[in-house]
Amino acid sequence: MSRNFGKLLLSLALPAALAVGLLVAPAASADQAVRLQYRTSAPGATTAQAEPWLRLFNSGTTTIPLSQVKIRYYLTGTESYRFACSWAVIGCSTITGRFAPQEGGKQYLEVGFTSGNLNPGQDTGDMQLRFYRADWQNFTQSDDYSYGPGTSYANWDKIAVYVNGQLAWGKPTGNEPDPDPTTPPGGGSGELFDDFTYTGSNDPRLAQRGWTVRGSSGGPGVPGATWSPSAVSFPGGLLTLDSSTNGTAAGTVQTELSTTNRKFHEGTYAARVRFSDAPTSGPDGEHVVQTFFTITPLRYNLDPDYGELDFEYLPNGGWGEPSNILYATSWETYQGEPWQAVNTHTEERTSFAGWHDLVIQVSGGRMKYYVDGRLFADHGDIYYPETLMWIMFNQWFIDLQGATGTRTYRQQVDYLYHSKNEVVAPAQVLSRVAALRTAGTAFKDTVPNP
């Protein structure tokens, strides 16, 4: 599914959020005692991917919510790595992983959990984790502080475990901040909500609130088509994209609304979107794409830091499909010429005309796509986004069918909601949106800028 936005941006520098002194967390209480066992299934000094397998034990007297637990595995070097969970007794979907820099050319992998409890005397069972360089080059792991060559489980104190921000096991290394205390239920590290109560595409509040109505040329879609701000409107508080064509490139109008800042990565994305099967006027049959997605710019062909998470609805087919199809697509990268796509997708071939609540959860190496509360797709592995993204809605034409007469297709959006660094269930999204509207909140943005 080709889309070349024609944008070339400098890559974001890795945030240097480093502590200036050695910070030692206070010890966890005795009733929250834990111990960690480790083994590796890739014991070589040099490897294509490290494979730390872990088991976490609750040696205390109280139940520990796993959402309060952070496990840190320490590495040498500043290379970019990707995290993955191969298999886990508690389920890979509950396990998260991120890399954070340290002083002195070091970093750590922080493993966390989105749900679950660890009762006294119990353990998590196998957590078969792995990580690898983003460029898939071999690397030396024998100089990593947390690495050990043992292939049988044993207690291992070179991996640190924190419970609710307090050191509970192991010996940390390097200058590092304490883990952030667990986020309380119902709150991530920033929220974006927009009810789209604007007067039109020239409403100055759009720019003030971090939106760009596209007017620049370029892809995706029909070469030579116009991206028209005047075809974007907000009747009744609904973002409305009216894309039209008369069968010629010069007579083709496409539409897009995008966040101005790239500041979105892990967390939950949600929108209520109205897809349309038929045009509001003119003959039907165009290969039109109606979307809700996040995206990182492609700096060069097969850029490993590119990322894109899509909902795309094709009411009349296209890309070789004969009729209605809804795609959920996760991208690792692509090449324009000759075309090469590195993505994975899930699709359903039926009509999705009408209003739908769409949710994308991005956490712990997995991207889960929901339609009206139903799990539609579950992707991960190399397709997990590595860098900050924009949020976008657009409606564009794959090609032109040559019918006579102007035809106009309409896509509408009722709201946008995002919670940074938090997995929010689809039903809870609806509750939060309802609460914001009840409170009279038309717009909220507490997501920090990079």
Side-chain angles (χ1 to χ4, degrees):
M1 284 157 278
S2 171
R3 69 178 59 78
N4 181 0
F5 281 80
K7 296 174 179 173
L8 187 65
L9 299 182
L10 294 175
S11 62
L12 293 176
L14 183 66
L18 302 174
V20 295
L22 180 61
L23 301 176
V24 179
S29 60
D31 60 352
Q32 287 190 320
V34 299
R35 63 184 173 91
L36 185 81
Q37 290 192 342
Y38 158 86
R39 59 157 290 194
T40 180
S41 60
T46 300
T47 186
Q49 65 177 9
E51 299 183 18
W53 291 17
L54 308 177
R55 290 195 307 201
L56 181 66
F57 292 77
N58 183 348
S59 304
T61 59
T62 63
T63 297
I64 300 175
L66 285 173
S67 60
Q68 295 181 358
V69 175
K70 301 293 184 184
I71 301 172
R72 285 186 171 179
Y73 182 105
Y74 299 91
L75 297 82
T76 300
T78 60
E79 297 86 357
S80 294
Y81 289 94
R82 305 290 182 257
F83 168 80
C85 174
S86 297
W87 184 80
V89 172
I90 61 174
C92 282
S93 62
T94 69
I95 298 175
T96 67
R98 72 179 184 96
F99 293 89
Q102 291 183 286
E103 289 181 337
K106 299 178 181 180
Q107 58 183 304
Y108 57 81
L109 164 65
E110 183 177 83
V111 177
F113 305 88
T114 61
S115 62
N117 293 304
L118 193 58
N119 294 323
Q122 290 189 342
D123 67 88
T124 59
D126 279 355
M127 295 183 287
Q128 299 178 10
L129 312 180
R130 57 189 172 92
F131 59 89
Y132 51 92
R133 279 181 48 156
D135 58 7
W136 280 104
Q137 297 299 306
N138 288 350
F139 62 94
T140 300
Q141 64 173 345
S142 57
D143 60 355
D144 291 341
Y145 173 82
S146 293
Y147 165 78
T151 56
S152 298
Y153 275 116
N155 291 347
W156 194 249
D157 65 4
K158 289 188 176 182
I159 300 175
V161 181
Y162 293 84
V163 177
N164 204 21
Q166 296 182 323
L167 182 63
W169 172 267
K171 301 173 183 177
T173 184
N175 295 348
E176 56 170 316
D178 293 339
D180 293 333
T182 302
T183 301
S189 51
E191 278 186 310
L192 171 63
F193 171 71
D194 204 324
D195 215 12
F196 296 121
T197 54
Y198 301 103
T199 58
S201 61
N202 59 353
D203 189 325
R205 293 177 299 170
L206 282 164
Q208 294 166 7
R209 295 175 175 178
W211 290 108
T212 296
V213 184
R214 183 173 177 180
S216 59
S217 60
V222 175
T226 299
W227 293 88
S228 176
S230 63
V232 178
S233 59
F234 300 88
L238 300 176
L239 165 62
T240 301
L241 307 176
D242 285 321
S243 299
S244 61
T245 183
N246 64 2
T248 69
T252 298
V253 172
Q254 304 181 138
T255 47
E256 178 179 284
L257 181 73
S258 168
T259 58
T260 303
N261 291 325
R262 276 179 58 204
K263 61 177 185 177
F264 307 99
H265 187 214
E266 294 181 314
T268 301
Y269 302 82
R272 177 174 290 143
V273 179
R274 180 179 179 270
F275 296 128
S276 301
D277 278 353
T280 57
S281 63
D284 197 3
E286 292 297 331
H287 292 157
V288 63
V289 184
Q290 302 169 353
T291 72
F292 166 43
F293 64 104
T294 66
I295 189 170
T296 297
L298 186 82
R299 299 169 299 169
Y300 50 84
N301 280 339
L302 302 179
D303 178 359
D305 287 334
Y306 176 78
E308 186 174 350
L309 309 176
D310 295 331
F311 275 112
E312 294 175 310
Y313 181 55
L314 283 59
N316 294 314
W319 296 321
E321 292 291 333
S323 58
N324 320 76
I325 187 168
L326 176 65
Y327 286 102
T329 306
S330 304
W331 291 76
E332 164 61 5
T333 190
Y334 73 90
Q335 174 176 283
E337 295 294 340
W339 176 248
Q340 181 180 348
V342 185
N343 66 32
T344 187
H345 54 85
T346 302
E347 61 281 328
E348 289 188 9
R349 294 171 175 82
T350 189
S351 173
F352 281 85
W355 287 103
H356 298 282
D357 289 293
L358 309 179
V359 173
I360 308 173
Q361 297 171 343
V362 184
S363 179
R366 307 301 300 177
M367 303 84 73
K368 294 186 177 182
Y369 298 77
Y370 292 84
V371 178
D372 299 327
R374 172 177 61 92
L375 182 62
F376 185 90
D378 186 347
H379 301 158
D381 304 316
I382 66 169
Y383 309 104
Y384 195 76
E386 298 95 359
T387 54
L388 298 174
M389 301 177 285
W390 292 293
I391 300 173
M392 292 190 184
F393 302 92
N394 63 20
Q395 184 179 216
W396 50 280
F397 297 95
I398 297 173
D399 48 32
L400 298 177
Q401 299 303 296
T404 58
T406 300
R407 44 271 190 201
T408 301
Y409 292 83
R410 171 168 289 184
Q411 174 185 342
Q412 292 184 302
V413 184
D414 183 26
Y415 68 81
L416 170 71
Y417 178 82
H418 170 67
S419 181
K420 178 180 172 66
N421 294 338
E422 183 188 19
V423 174
V424 185
Q428 187 64 25
V429 168
L430 298 181
S431 296
R432 293 189 184 183
V433 170
L436 288 162
R437 285 174 161 169
T438 298
T441 303
F443 176 80
K444 176 183 180 181
D445 187 4
T446 57
V447 178
N449 289 322

